[in-house]
Amino acid sequence: MALDPADFTKCCKNSGVLMVVKCRKENSALKECLTAYYNDPAFYEECKMEYLKEREEFRKTGIPAKKRLQKLPTSM
């Protein structure tokens, strides 16, 4: 039975300091989910292309992607 990765977050919030012990099952499910993505060549290529596009844009403008995506203040 596969758990939803969001279950790990919920378990950690509810367990506090004891999350290391109480959330082992949820942590294993999260690792399994992430490993599937890490081992997927199509996902790797998608991430690589997105990174290269952002890097190219940064080199052109000198503005990081986070700053570029923020809305500019409008004057009244």
Side-chain angles (χ1 to χ4, degrees), residues 3 7 16 19 21 24 27 29 34 36 38 46 51 56 58 62 67 74-75:
L3 297 172
D7 292 339
M19 71 179 149
V21 177
R24 288 183 179 161
N27 188 31
L34 292 173
Y38 293 152
E46 180 183 340
Y51 165 76
E56 179 184 14
F58 174 76
K67 301 269 185 190
T74 57
S75 59

Side-chain angles (χ1 to χ4, degrees), residues 27-70:
N27 188 31
S28 294
L30 178 63
K31 284 183 189 176
E32 186 179 312
C33 178
L34 292 173
T35 302
Y37 278 104
Y38 293 152
N39 294 328
D40 181 8
F43 182 71
Y44 173 83
E45 285 300 316
E46 180 183 340
C47 291
K48 183 172 88 173
M49 296 309 294
E50 183 177 333
Y51 165 76
L52 292 173
K53 183 180 173 187
E54 287 183 14
R55 184 179 73 174
E56 179 184 14
E57 193 62 30
F58 174 76
R59 288 181 174 177
K60 285 181 189 175
T61 64
I63 303 170
K66 280 186 177 181
K67 301 269 185 190
R68 270 195 329 271
L69 298 176
Q70 291 176 350

